[in-house]
Amino acid sequence: MRLFRCFSGCNRAVARVMRIVGSTFSLRLSGPANALIPLALAAGIVCHAAVPPAGAESSLPTLTLEDAIATAVKFNPYVQASRHEVTAADAQVTQARSGLLPQLEVSETYNRTTSPLWAFGTRLNQGAITARDFDPDRLNDPDPIDNFRTALTLSWNIFDGGQTWIGWRQARENLEAGNLALQRTEQEIIAQTAITYVGCLLAAEERGVVDQALETAGAHLKVVEDRERSGLAVKSDVLRARVRIGELSQQRLQADSQVNVALAQLGAVMGTPDAVPPGTRLAGAFSQCTAPQGELDAWIETALNRRSDLKQLDLQETVARRQLDRARAAHLPTLALQGNYEINSEDFSDSHDSYAVGAVLQMNLFSGQRISARAAEAKAMAARVRAMRDAQALNVRVDTQRAYYQAQSAWQSIEVARTAVDQAEEGLRITANRYRNGLLALVSLLDAQVALQQAQTRHFKALHDYKVARIALALASGTLDKDFK
């Protein structure tokens, strides 16, 4: 892409002013026709004031749309938040998978008791029972006893009706849905970045329109002053021309402010405000546009097939259906293996170890309809997600249609606006020529200047609207990516 410049070079500025204004005057060098010389000088003075000093332009940072999008995808807080959600979903997959594996735990427990039951049991676990311990007095009123218990416990859920397996698959599908959500978030941020970038280009182009209007108004002021010195114009015409330049100077200040605000908004979208300081140059051919391609039906079909938010709802529906299977699996029996190895000691000087292994088979006979209610809830949630998916599909159709029609309308508006600019330029040329010959009042010339400025502004606005509509169409169809131009 060619480098976008807010200011035109002096040679082009002089040529433009000469074309619009200077061509309306005779090349005679006698009498009032000498206005052509100060006309060119005025154009050079205005251009010199508008163009930055030599070397200053090269020192300004340059930002391309590709760099802006890449930075936004990396640093935008919303994208980062979505990435954290994906990381959390990945951790949930690991958690769900752990239910399929055996669980091994180690523990260290300390007890001190005078309870007859626990004191006798503790001595049994320590392997320290003697005949004296069966004395009724010692049984009923034992001395305090300490115990350190070191235990290694193994448990393995062999079968639970498939509940753990289903949960693992749900977690993996949730992770995939999270990646789709991340993809959609990135697309939205890319669209927001591109739209803001185009807005910056528009602000710069509008500032350029004001610069051109200042050049033209300055040239016309020279003509009016020459006519006033020749007695062909009154002093009020000169004052009115100077008022016009003052108005344009105020517009120039406002245009500078709008450019800086637009750059600040771009930095905020990119997530790095310091990367887009005031004065940043944007590289882009703002006036280059291509006509929208494809029929509406093809765009809608693409959107229904590629929109990641629709795919995400499809996965959420699958997760909801699996939740129904998981709820029904609670009616099935469960089988778990258990093992325990422990060491008991009063003071670590002597110890006694033991182990226990076993299996637990469990089946629910009656839950007060708790399991059936969970199944009914899961079924209703699956139906809800399906309804939401259908509603989103309708919204995708409408979004795509809206963006398509707006793109078509904006493209046609570009040609209308461009024709209006050509007509305004020709109107200004004719009006300036007639004013030079004393056939029109100054107000007509000023009106023609305003008409040209407004036509140029509407032309750039039409270009901006079309680019925004193209971005919206790409976003609505799900085809927007980091390589968007």
Side-chain angles (χ1 to χ4, degrees):
M1 295 187 294
R2 67 181 185 185
L3 183 64
F4 173 81
R5 300 179 184 271
C6 298
F7 301 101
S8 301
C10 289
N11 293 335
R12 286 183 295 170
V14 173
R16 181 166 58 250
V17 177
M18 291 285 288
R19 183 179 69 254
I20 297 176
V21 182
S23 61
T24 65
F25 301 103
S26 171
L27 293 178
R28 294 173 297 169
L29 299 180
S30 60
N34 291 338
L36 184 59
I37 296 177
L39 173 65
L41 293 176
I45 293 173
V46 174
C47 180
H48 177 74
V51 177
E57 186 173 321
S58 60
S59 64
L60 296 175
T62 301
L63 180 66
T64 65
L65 177 59
E66 292 83 354
D67 292 339
I69 289 176
T71 302
V73 170
K74 183 177 181 180
F75 294 107
N76 185 275
Y78 291 102
V79 177
Q80 291 181 340
S82 187
R83 288 198 184 100
H84 291 317
E85 291 181 1
V86 172
T87 302
D90 186 50
Q92 290 173 356
V93 172
T94 303
Q95 295 177 46
R97 185 176 62 245
S98 67
L100 300 173
L101 304 175
Q103 308 296 307
L104 184 62
E105 298 178 353
V106 63
S107 64
E108 181 69 33
T109 306
Y110 168 75
N111 286 320
R112 180 178 177 85
T113 182
T114 59
S115 169
L117 177 62
W118 288 104
F120 188 80
T122 299
R123 293 188 66 83
L124 280 175
N125 289 333
Q126 293 177 352
I129 290 292
T130 64
R132 294 179 59 250
D133 293 317
F134 291 94
D135 182 8
D137 292 335
R138 291 179 62 88
L139 288 174
N140 293 324
D141 189 17
D143 295 330
I145 185 171
D146 297 320
N147 185 65
F148 292 91
R149 177 179 179 269
T150 304
L152 187 66
T153 304
L154 174 68
S155 62
W156 193 357
N157 192 6
I158 300 299
F159 178 75
D160 61 358
Q163 297 181 62
T164 303
W165 179 263
I166 294 173
W168 180 38
R169 298 183 66 180
Q170 285 179 310
R172 290 191 301 175
E173 288 158 353
N174 283 328
L175 173 60
E176 186 176 353
N179 283 317
L180 290 172
L182 172 60
Q183 178 183 344
R184 187 59 183 174
T185 300
E186 288 180 345
Q187 288 181 339
E188 292 173 349
I189 295 303
I190 290 172
Q192 188 176 356
T193 303
I195 290 174
T196 308
Y197 189 94
V198 172
C200 292
L201 291 176
L202 174 63
E205 291 286 3
E206 289 178 341
R207 183 173 61 181
V209 170
V210 177
D211 288 338
Q212 180 178 342
L214 271 170
E215 295 172 5
T216 303
H220 286 160
L221 174 61
K222 293 295 182 180
V223 175
V224 174
E225 290 175 342
D226 288 343
R227 285 177 55 82
E228 192 266 339
R229 284 192 294 268
S230 301
L232 300 177
V234 296
K235 183 66 174 180
S236 60
D237 285 351
V238 177
L239 296 176
R240 183 66 185 88
R242 290 175 178 172
V243 169
R244 168 63 177 165
I245 292 179
E247 293 174 349
L248 290 172
S249 298
Q250 291 180 341
Q251 294 181 20
R252 181 60 165 79
L253 295 175
Q254 294 175 353
D256 278 335
S257 176
Q258 292 174 353
V259 169
N260 290 332
V261 170
L263 291 174
Q265 292 174 339
L266 179 60
V269 174
M270 292 168 56
T272 54
D274 296 337
V276 192
T280 300
R281 295 182 299 166
L282 304 184
F286 186 74
S287 299
Q288 292 183 357
C289 295
T290 57
Q293 304 294 326
E295 300 296 332
L296 176 59
D297 292 340
W299 281 105
I300 293 177
E301 182 179 359
T302 300
L304 294 176
N305 291 331
R306 298 191 59 173
R307 280 283 290 262
S308 57
D309 49 350
L310 284 178
K311 297 179 180 178
Q312 181 184 359
L313 286 172
D314 287 337
L315 281 173
Q316 290 178 354
E317 183 185 3
T318 301
V319 171
R321 288 199 305 266
R322 294 195 189 282
Q323 186 62 29
L324 176 59
D325 296 336
R326 190 174 182 179
R328 290 171 175 171
H331 288 292
L332 300 176
T334 62
L335 176 62
L337 297 180
Q338 295 180 349
N340 181 73
Y341 173 78
E342 64 180 63
I343 300 174
N344 290 274
S345 174
E346 184 172 6
D347 55 7
F348 293 104
S349 62
D350 192 13
S351 63
H352 182 76
D353 63 342
S354 62
Y355 72 90
V357 295
V360 178
L361 179 64
Q362 185 176 0
M363 183 173 183
N364 180 271
L365 297 180
F366 179 70
S367 64
Q369 295 187 332
R370 172 176 53 84
I371 298 176
S372 299
R374 286 182 178 176
E377 178 188 6
K379 184 176 180 180
M381 293 302 297
R384 174 181 176 273
V385 175
R386 164 52 60 179
M388 291 174 59
R389 199 274 180 198
D390 293 340
Q392 184 65 11
L394 294 175
N395 291 334
V396 168
R397 286 180 174 272
V398 174
D399 289 345
T400 306
Q401 290 172 335
R402 181 189 301 111
Y404 179 84
Y405 290 132
Q406 288 178 346
Q408 293 287 343
S409 175
W411 175 254
Q412 296 171 1
S413 297
I414 293 176
E415 184 61 31
V416 174
R418 183 182 294 112
T419 301
V421 171
D422 295 338
Q423 294 172 346
E425 288 180 346
E426 179 64 15
L428 178 59
R429 187 191 67 80
I430 295 174
T431 302
N433 187 40
R434 291 174 66 85
Y435 173 76
R436 169 66 181 83
N437 294 318
L439 300 178
L440 290 177
L442 178 64
V443 66
S444 298
L445 180 60
L446 297 179
D447 289 344
Q449 292 177 15
V450 173
L452 175 58
Q453 181 182 355
Q454 292 176 344
Q456 291 173 330
T457 300
R458 284 192 293 267
H459 177 227
F460 287 123
K461 185 63 167 58
L463 290 171
H464 167 270
D465 292 345
Y466 175 67
K467 292 177 181 294
V468 170
R470 280 189 59 236
I471 297 170
L473 181 58
L475 178 63
S477 62
T479 58
L480 191 61
D481 55 24
K482 299 178 182 178
D483 298 327
F484 177 80
K485 296 182 179 180

